[in-house]
Amino acid sequence: MTQSQGWETEAPHTLSVVQAPSGASYTYYGYYGLVGCGGIGMAGSNDLLTWTKFPSNPLFSGGGERWASVYKDGTTYYMVHTMNYCNTSYLVYRQSSDGLSW
């Protein structure tokens, strides 16, 4: 993926991939951070090769979010990511039932 959305101040990296819920527009969800402290975005794929960024991006920004790591257990999604990356960073834990709303 390349830097292509207005909120992306740097290039995307660190893609964390999980299976999307049944009935979703994509088979897989990918969560990515930016090279610096610019936030966390989301993309979808049906083949793990072609990714489409969600128009509702970013999921999180403005607090130095980075390095999203997502795990799915049953129908629950768990995310851990860095906050305040460009200063004194710490980890944040989030939970979701659909992988979209945290």
Side-chain angles (χ1 to χ4, degrees), residues 11-36:
H13 75 96
T14 64
L15 188 64
S16 180
V17 177
V18 293
Q19 186 174 15
S22 62
S25 299
Y26 296 99
T27 306
Y28 304 99
Y29 286 161
Y31 303 86
Y32 64 94
L34 302 180
V35 171

Side-chain angles (χ1 to χ4, degrees), residues 16-63:
S16 180
V17 177
V18 293
Q19 186 174 15
S22 62
S25 299
Y26 296 99
T27 306
Y28 304 99
Y29 286 161
Y31 303 86
Y32 64 94
L34 302 180
V35 171
C37 315
I40 296 171
M42 189 172 170
S45 176
N46 289 316
D47 61 8
L48 296 173
L49 296 172
T50 307
W51 291 91
T52 302
K53 293 180 183 178
F54 281 46
S56 57
N57 279 334
L59 286 177
F60 309 106
S61 69

Side-chain angles (χ1 to χ4, degrees), residues 19-98:
Q19 186 174 15
S22 62
S25 299
Y26 296 99
T27 306
Y28 304 99
Y29 286 161
Y31 303 86
Y32 64 94
L34 302 180
V35 171
C37 315
I40 296 171
M42 189 172 170
S45 176
N46 289 316
D47 61 8
L48 296 173
L49 296 172
T50 307
W51 291 91
T52 302
K53 293 180 183 178
F54 281 46
S56 57
N57 279 334
L59 286 177
F60 309 106
S61 69
E65 295 88 350
R66 189 175 186 209
W67 298 104
S69 182
V70 180
Y71 173 76
K72 181 181 178 190
D73 184 18
T75 60
T76 304
Y77 293 80
Y78 301 93
M79 177 189 290
V80 174
H81 68 84
T82 302
M83 195 76 172
N84 200 29
Y85 178 76
C86 291
N87 292 297
T88 304
S89 63
Y90 56 95
L91 296 177
V92 172
Y93 167 80
R94 300 180 190 267
Q95 188 172 326
S96 172
S97 60
D98 62 4

